[in-house]
DNA sequence: CAGTACTATTATGTTATACAAAGTAGTGAG
DNA sequence: CTCACTACTTTGTATAACATAATAGTACTG
């Protein structure tokens, strides 16, 4: 079982949570995720996700020039995005409870 | 975001954990998962998963007659399966830590 | 015999992430 | 000036998990 499968659905919530508290551009987001321990994250994973989130209206973007290279595309969370983030947090917490109930039972019998 | 995306990768670990502490057949497993709160689980989700796990050697099966219908196919965990289950638990705990670190930071700033 | 509950199987679709490659803009070395 | 390098973004193709839905077969019940 690869760790990557566990990521599904989680990544989106994490990205929203990060964008909520600071505006970021894609490249930076990759670094941040890696700092948090998601070492396998690369651009090819993040950019399509950002495009999807923007298309769905959860985030919006603004392009700004960079002193170090090509333009950066900064992302911000929308009201709808915040709503969905809360939604994610609920589902995530609920999932933890369910899974732990199953896995922890293991030792109690 | 549908809850179903969060399931990915988790389902396999849950199924293994359940099979570890009691032999079950597919239909029964569906009921158990539903009791645990995974209300959307149906046969079409569980049976292919069981076949995959058996093919990979994480579980093995034995067919027994049922008093109430067609034969039941009971599943047992193998040594390799137990190994993978421990593996899953580690990854799952590690994922919880990482995600919570991201999500919870939200309020502390 | 018709209908319903049990049990297993399989085909097809959707979607998130992986993987890999490439394109664009600036900077520094020679 | 150009070559290489780094910062930054984009895109195409593949894989694998889970959803959805339909099929089929056994036993019980009316």
């Amino acid at each position: 079982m690869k760790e990557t499968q566990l990521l599904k659905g989680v990544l989106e919530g994490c990205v929203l949570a990060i964008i909520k508290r600071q505006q970021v551009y894609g490249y930076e987001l990759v670094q941040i995720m890696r700092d948090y321990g998601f070492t396998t994250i690369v651009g090819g994973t993040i950019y399509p996700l950002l495009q999807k989130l923007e298309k769905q209206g959860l985030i919006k973007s603004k392009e700004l020039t960079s002193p170090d290279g090509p333009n950066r595309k900064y992302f911000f969370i929308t009201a709808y995005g915040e709503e969905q983030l809360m939604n994610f947090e609920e589902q995530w917490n609920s999932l933890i409870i369910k899974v732990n109930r199953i896995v922890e039972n293991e030792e109690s019998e």
Side-chain angles (χ1 to χ4, degrees), chain A residues 49-98:
Chain A
L49 175 57
L50 288 171
Q51 285 170 2
K52 193 194 84 181
L53 291 177
E54 183 169 22
K55 194 165 157 196
Q56 293 178 343
L58 279 71
I59 57 178
K60 54 186 167 38
S61 65
K62 184 165 48 169
E63 213 164 329
L64 298 176
T65 60
S66 157
D68 304 319
N71 285 352
R72 293 170 176 166
K73 203 158 159 191
Y74 283 87
F75 292 92
F76 312 84
I77 198 166
T78 64
Y80 180 53
E82 298 215 23
E83 196 182 306
Q84 290 309 106
L85 175 57
M86 285 193 301
N87 211 276
F88 162 76
E89 286 175 26
E90 270 170 36
Q91 290 183 354
W92 169 245
N93 288 323
S94 147
L95 180 69
I96 291 180
I97 290 170
K98 288 186 217 162

